[in-house]
Amino acid sequence: MKRAAIKILLAIAGSFFIVLTTFAQKSEFHWEQLNENSNRLKGKLSGTVFVLSSKSNSNYFLQNDWADGSITLEDDDVYDSLKVRYNAFEDKLVVYNDNLRNLFAVDKEKVKSFIVKNPAGNQKFVKYYYDGFPKGDRYFEVLYSGGRDFLVFREIVEEKTRPFVDKFGIMKDTRFKGKNTYFMYSPEAGFQKIRLRRSSVLNVFPENKREIRRLLRRNKVNIFDEKGMSRAFKLLDENGYFQ
Amino acid sequence: MRRFKYILLLLFFVVALNSLARAEAVDHSRLFLFTDRDYCISGDTVWFKVEIRNGWSQNSNVVHVQLHSHNSNLIAGVKKKSTGNWAEGFIHVPDSLSTGVYFLSAFLNSQRASSVWETVNKTLFVYNRFDEEITQLQVPVADNKIEEKGIEGLISVAGGKEIFAPREKVNVDFALDKIDTSSIKNVVVRATHLDELSAQAGGRFISKSKSSKPSIPVIDEKDGFLLSGKVTDADTGEPAEKVVVLLSLYSEMPYLDYFLTDRNGDFHFFLKNAFGVANVVLQAVAEDDREFNLQVGKNYMVSEKINFQSKILTPDQSDFIANAINGVFFKKLFEESYIVEDETFYMPARFEYPFYGRPYNRVFTADFFDLPDFQEISRELLHGMQYRVRNDEVTLRLLNEPENIYFKSDPLRLINGIPVFKNRLFANFDSNDIEYIDLVLKERLYGDLNFKGVLSVSLKDKSNAWLTQQPNFFRISVPCLQPDKRPAYAGAGIEKENLPDIRQVNFWHLTETGQKQQVEFRLSDLKGKVEISVEGVTEDDILFKTSKIIEVK
């Protein structure tokens, strides 16, 4: 009796396995989730599935929550009305696929720029090839765009700290911290690292130091933060220093 | 009460008139088309120029040009991408086309936003090259003919000469400075052998047009075009809804797109920067294992019928046609570039990597010793891939590299960029069949398709012979955007002294207004009248044409 029961169980398991392998053949199609919104004529956004852990959710992203955004690809195809977050720890743009209810990191080689819409204002990121260290494509936030761009590479880095107990009671010895690196950029001149100080700007134009110092003073431009540096870039651009 | 009835009646009439007016709402924006000739012999190639105006060119730069009969039967059609505001291309007139008057017209896909729009139809008199004696012809009645305005003193032939010898050089001054540049920026100047019949009875005719297939999406075709079709159930013939149609083609790298059919079984693809004739592989995939039929449809416009009347030809007109037909035999014999060949397909890669992303590993089988089958290849060369044969069933699994575990279902499997769902298709490929193999060891998304890794096998043989006998695969030859070409008479090599020169068109080009132009051209061996003309359209859609006739004796 027992033997017969085992045989039946094996037969059921066997047929279940065969059925599974048959259906698995077209498993890449989530039929119930495909609809007319899947039919975007001008192109499809592609990327690698991103697994959101509680660690990455609370530490890796520049934005605390999913924000509206748009992406422009290298072929100038624009994708609007997306939910996006910039993963500043891995330098990845993560997008929520509404139909599949899946997160994915957009293929960086296809992205030209993207915009994250925040209540305080839009953040525009542009992909450039950075020839410093480490070399490669990076997303830079554009703080001023003109004859020369004022860019910031916003990173989240994990650094060693003294051991501490976090809010969940877990002992840790690392901490995630924001780090900004600022650049003056033009396609011709490439990247020039700058700091949020007046002297840093003056060093870029050693022959015009005195004029620029006077120009900044007369226009009451103080460079202590990103806003001040953006104003300085605008002023220098308007006065022809970036030509 | 009576007053109330009157008000109701009045209201009814107002609503009825309003809806009538809406039904008749016609988009009056027009595209004007210019051709290098007004008549041709069947088998000829006719060249056209179309100006995209009314601000359309900002969003739409692909023009559909079609040759159709007076009752709107489509004979030939091409799609041409414009440069600046002008699209310049050619259309082959079929060799078998019977003698008659046909029409060339142009439209943009975005014009289909209006259910009815006005089209300018330019006549093309076609004489079949096997007709021996043409004495009578059906020609359009002048009801909807567009009147052409003339501008005095635009063309002057050097020395005021009116009679020339064959192959003699002609110098023409075009006083294009007389044209108001704010109204007309460009004009088309040409010198062509004159057919008096087409000059008299031909011209441009206005008609109302509709889309051949209203289900085709009304989108701006910028740098690309729509490819549409229908999927039907092979057993019932009913439109197949919710079928994924996969489009694959291969140029610089594999290209894939997909579309989920609607309730009418319709599908649409937008092919960007695809030029020449593409060998497209379409595949209909459903949740079950049904078999389908698939047809690709044409996007053209159906114009209302243009009325014709019978015309008895004069002996001179009949002789002219007979001579023109005889000339074609010499043309075919001596002109190497008589027929313009379509270029092979090309579609520049949009991105650095294929649609399936940057390959984790690309294996060129030629770099290794020969392996007899795919199982051996996967075992020896494809790290991160499991190839298992169990109960005669082949299973393929890829490693999910970030998680360091194998996926539990099949990856996206591609052969020459074409998705396949039968693992057994890979079994017989040996090292010599394969150029390279790409592996992507990550879970990928492409639009709303999710892949548990990607296995892409690129074969040395790109003919895809393995596709034959596979159900639901359809190999279709699709004419894409027409590549840029120039007519033979526009280039060098026409002045071969020892060969007959039977050019019908002496010159034809687009030129800017606002300054004087001087053109020197050489006549061909064809005797008869040559019309030198300047044509253009003002900002207010007023067509003008000024011409001067010289004679070759």
Side-chain angles (χ1 to χ4, degrees), chain A residues 95-108:
Chain A
V95 174
Y96 176 67
N97 182 312
D98 204 21
N99 273 0
L100 297 180
R101 293 170 195 169
N102 227 335
L103 295 177
F104 66 105
V106 184
D107 288 333
K108 196 187 253 184

Side-chain angles (χ1 to χ4, degrees), chain A residues 25-26 28-31 34 38-39 41-42 44-49 75 97 99-100 104 107 109, chain B residues 220 242 257-260 268 270 272 285-287 289 350 353 413 421 443-445 447-450:
Chain A
Q25 289 198 331
K26 288 168 190 172
E28 45 268 67
F29 302 126
H30 293 248
W31 292 98
L34 285 171
S38 309
N39 294 333
L41 285 171
K42 299 249 164 132
K44 310 288 190 286
L45 208 52
S46 65
T48 304
V49 169
D75 65 347
N97 182 312
N99 273 0
L100 297 180
F104 66 105
D107 288 333
E109 58 271 7
Chain B
D220 291 316
K242 229 181 170 194
D257 202 355
Y258 68 85
F259 196 96
L260 186 76
H268 313 281
F270 184 76
K272 196 175 177 182
V285 184
E287 214 168 347
D289 287 330
R350 285 161 87 165
Y353 296 106
R413 291 140 289 166
F421 300 95
E443 189 175 353
R444 298 275 307 164
L445 283 193
D448 286 349
L449 302 185
N450 178 237

